[in-house]
Amino acid sequence: MLLDKRGCSTIGQLIWKGIEMIREIKVIYENDPSVRGLEGLLNSGLHALILHKCISHPLYRIKLRSLARLISQITRFITGIEIHPGAIIGRGLFVDHGMGIVIGETAEIGDDCIFFQGVSLGGTGKHRGKRHPTIGNNVLIGANATLLGPVSVGNNVKIGADTVIINHNVPDNCTVVGAPGRIVRQNGEKVRIDLAGIGDGSEKRES
Ligand SMILES: CC(C)(COP(=O)(O)OP(=O)(O)OC[C@H]1O[C@@H](n2cnc3c(N)ncnc32)[C@H](O)[C@@H]1OP(=O)(O)O)[C@@H](O)C(=O)NCCC(=O)NCCS
């Protein structure tokens, strides 16, 4: 039986991942009002997550990287969703439509997030090491939003459709929209804060 670095059985992990997928199925029914009966099982995001969590990511962890990459390319062909085998994805991710989503090798995604089609969690160049975004828990990322670099997005964040965030962190409990992204809502209040100013004391506020 194959053992990973921590000595866990790969087959045991696979069974555990299978059980975890029940949560992924549940969130489809919770978040998509158009889904009835068994339709939820046809969600392409679910298929991509099953193949990633149960096959390509475990293969990547035991250093069968070419095989892992082959599975992720097959997944991309079937679903239109490209998840690098190295990406770490939490529980309860709901992917709506899915087509065109790209998730890079060192991306990390927390629990209970929602991604729409065309979301990119990418790098900015050819750097090695951590170069993709880290997303907190309960984060919604709208259609075609682009997040580049090793940025960190806090918990309870909404990122609007078509938003662009490059090399800037996003704090907890806010909504970010636009290109370049700016905070338009924080802790329930309307604000206007440029992400470029976050953390250096130069935040620009209006209203
Ligand atoms: C950002 C979003 C999640 C709403 O979050 P919210 O916290 O409820 O924000 P609000 O609706 O109060 O909007 C706050 C401000 O941002 C603006 N805004 C909202 N979404 C925006 C977007 N994607 N791009 C630019 N501005 C946007 C609103 O017009 C509003 O501006 P105002 O203060 O001048 O009136 C939502 O608008 C969104 O983009 N969801 C993505 C949905 C999606 O991708 N669907 C695809 C289905 S196929």
Side-chain angles (χ1 to χ4, degrees), residues 121-197:
L121 302 184
T124 55
K126 295 178 185 167
H127 312 111
R128 292 193 172 269
K130 175 70 175 164
R131 61 193 182 283
H132 300 108
T134 299
I135 309 297
N137 298 323
N138 194 28
V139 174
L140 178 152
I141 308 187
N144 302 314
T146 299
L147 285 76
L148 303 182
V151 300
S152 158
V153 173
N155 299 319
N156 312 314
V157 169
K158 291 179 191 173
I159 296 175
D162 289 321
T163 298
V164 176
I165 298 173
I166 302 178
N167 285 334
H168 293 303
N169 294 334
V170 176
D172 291 340
N173 308 315
C174 68
T175 300
V176 178
V177 302
R182 61 189 187 282
I183 301 175
V184 289
R185 195 178 277 283
Q186 194 165 31
N187 299 316
E189 281 180 34
K190 277 199 171 189
V191 296
R192 195 180 172 89
I193 303 173
D194 289 340
L195 286 179

Side-chain angles (χ1 to χ4, degrees), residues 89-103:
I89 301 182
R91 290 168 297 173
L93 174 63
F94 170 58
V95 174
D96 205 0
H97 309 297
M99 180 63 79
I101 288 178
V102 177
I103 300 176

